[in-house]
Amino acid sequence: MGWETVIGFEIHAELATASKIWCGCSTEFGRAPNTQTCPVCLGMPGSLPVLNRKALELATRAALALGCRINRPTQFERKNYYYPDLPKNYQISQLRKNLGEGGFLDVKVGDSTLHVRINNVHLEEDAGKNIHPDAPGADYSLVDLNRAGTPLLEIVTEPDLRSKEEALAFMESLKSILEYSGVSDCNMHQGRLRFEANISVRRQGDDKLGTKVEVKNLNSMKTVLKCIEVETDRQIIELESGGRVVQETRLWDEAAGVTRAMRSKEVANDYRYFPDPDLVAVEIDDALLERIRAEIPELPDARRKRFVEKFGLSDYDAGVLTADKDLADYFESALAVYGANPKGVANWMAEPLRWLGEDPDRDIGEYPIKAAAIAELVKLIDGGTISGRIAKDVYRAMLDGEGAPAEIVKKKGLVQISDTSAIEPIVDKVLAANADAVEKILAGKEKAIGALVGQIMRETKGKANPQLVNEMILRKIRQ
Amino acid sequence: MEFTREDVRKIAVLARLDLTDAQMDHYAGQLGRILAHVDKLGELNTEGVEPTSHSLRLVNVLREDEPRPSLPNEAALANAPEQELGCFKVPPIIQEM
Ligand SMILES: [Zn+2]
């Protein structure tokens, strides 16, 4: 009997607010350390937290987009633990009355749909950042509290995933929903979207779940996938050699490519959750709930359908394009420049897609060719200025940063020859040298024309208009 | 309400307090009496009463998402026993939570 991996996720996403969750400090990324703090987020005695309305609304929007029912009222609790990046010595989070519960996300994996259950969606605050000095022998750490108190959405799934492929499809789909709904910018490089994986293994066919291990410190989707592979192997080896898997939290060691057990603490985690007396309950009434529901922007599924209906794309192509919001935006901004041929533009999305596929953490914003340039390229083809073949060369030059399409075409003299008198001598020469092919065409084997067109294209270095060449050949041999 | 030295020891560890055995015995007695007092509430009939987290009859106290000035770095670090590079300097953190 083989083994089966069982995976669940805990996802943290920083919400797209301008200020922190309990105070007015800015959430802007990358400023000088400890310049975005105040008595509230420093945990000074006597300061009082007040909930950021936008944080509540964005979190509710996410909960609704993930099909959760909204708990009314919802309330905040203190999760007590000591850590230098947590100035209050407790994190304000939720436990008994989470904002949203019982949701799901339907994820496309290949041709089938996987139903991933969401246990709950809740609102909490982020911690500060610990900096470990590189200096050899440095026996201290530094703490920057700029991030402390940034509104954080936590999404907890049920253990419904069974493979790396499913995990990747889920992560991408969830990221897509959060981006589409404007809940978070999901910038993984800046740690604004973070995944923690709960991984266990069991014998294929077993109903009972194995002992799960929680893995933290996974900084990218690629790392999550690597970690699933490594941790699955570790657990299987442990079990097959007669050992057992211990329920624990492990840390991913990026340099070594392994997970490591965290040193067990003196006392097992005892967070002593209790309702935060500084915060009153939140009761989202029907009117607000309906307004938030109405504010959910077009989600990937709806956009895919629109791409099919409005642009005439296949369901598959539309699905691929809309899975990544930024890619879909890229495509649509190309159409804003040249909207006459959506399918033509869609065909040129294959390259950026391939590029994105090489690394799940890549962002289309970093792709060397801008959307408007793709639109221009397609326009040049449709207008008969260049052939599809030449367009590929132009594209390569664009990738190399040689300039805008029209500029490259001009600079390299790639304009398509549509002047019959310029092509005629070449057509005559090729026809004279291929009498047998001419015979075949006259005998009804029109397919033989392809080889002739190919030769003429080569002679003209791809610049002849292939449609025109085709017509000229037929006209000439039938004369 | 019985409160033992072990109970106090557990709470002391969670609260990062370093207590002597004598202190633990002393507090065990005090904490036991406090809890016994609070236990009196249990004598009330609370059937049909919703649990409440505080006595204010308030819900939805919210603020708008408008950034406001923060403290200058020096003020934020004013109480820090040690600092470096604009940060709080703390004993080495060996592992992430
Ligand atoms: Zn603050």
Side-chain angles (χ1 to χ4, degrees), chain B residues 18-62:
Chain B
D18 189 11
L19 302 179
T20 63
D21 284 356
Q23 282 172 314
M24 281 191 249
D25 290 338
H26 182 65
Y27 292 135
Q30 287 188 339
L31 287 167
R33 284 196 295 283
I34 291 169
L35 286 183
H37 181 69
V38 173
D39 247 11
K40 282 203 164 143
L41 288 172
E43 292 167 13
L44 286 171
N45 181 1
T46 54
E47 215 170 283
V49 178
E50 279 286 305
T52 182
S53 53
H54 51 70
S55 54
L56 294 176
R57 287 196 169 275
L58 277 174
V59 289
N60 300 353
V61 177
L62 302 168

Side-chain angles (χ1 to χ4, degrees), chain A residues 18-20 23-25 33-34 37 51-53 82-83 132 139-143 262-263 270 279 281-283, chain B residues 10 13-15 53-54 60 62-65 67-68 70-71 73 76 84 86-88 90 92-93 95-97:
Chain A
S19 66
K20 293 189 181 180
C23 63
C25 291
N34 297 301
T37 67
L51 179 59
N52 181 333
R53 182 189 305 275
Y82 282 87
Y83 212 64
H132 311 288
D139 62 341
Y140 59 91
S141 295
L142 299 174
V143 180
M262 286 175 53
R263 270 197 316 184
D270 181 351
L279 288 160
V282 174
E283 178 89 54
Chain B
K10 188 174 171 233
V13 168
L14 288 170
S53 53
H54 51 70
N60 300 353
L62 302 168
R63 44 170 271 275
E64 298 310 313
D65 180 31
R68 295 175 50 164
S70 294
L71 292 173
N73 179 268
E84 189 174 300
C87 293
F88 296 88
V90 299
I93 299 160
Q95 64 205 11
E96 293 288 328
M97 278 291 278

Side-chain angles (χ1 to χ4, degrees), chain A residues 299-315:
Chain A
L299 294 178
D301 224 31
R303 198 172 197 184
R304 178 175 53 81
K305 286 188 186 120
R306 180 165 62 82
F307 277 21
V308 170
E309 284 158 19
K310 193 169 163 200
F311 302 139
L313 303 188
S314 71
D315 195 57

Side-chain angles (χ1 to χ4, degrees), chain A residues 155-169:
Chain A
I155 300 162
V156 183
T157 79
E158 299 290 355
D160 287 346
L161 302 148
R162 297 286 177 271
S163 65
K164 284 199 300 181
E165 291 68 34
E166 291 184 1
L168 179 62

Side-chain angles (χ1 to χ4, degrees), chain A residues 20 22-26 36-43 145-146 148-149, chain B residues 68-71:
Chain A
K20 293 189 181 180
W22 315 119
C23 63
C25 291
S26 164
Q36 286 153 278
T37 67
C38 73
V40 174
C41 57
L42 287 172
L145 295 177
N146 280 354
Chain B
R68 295 175 50 164
S70 294
L71 292 173

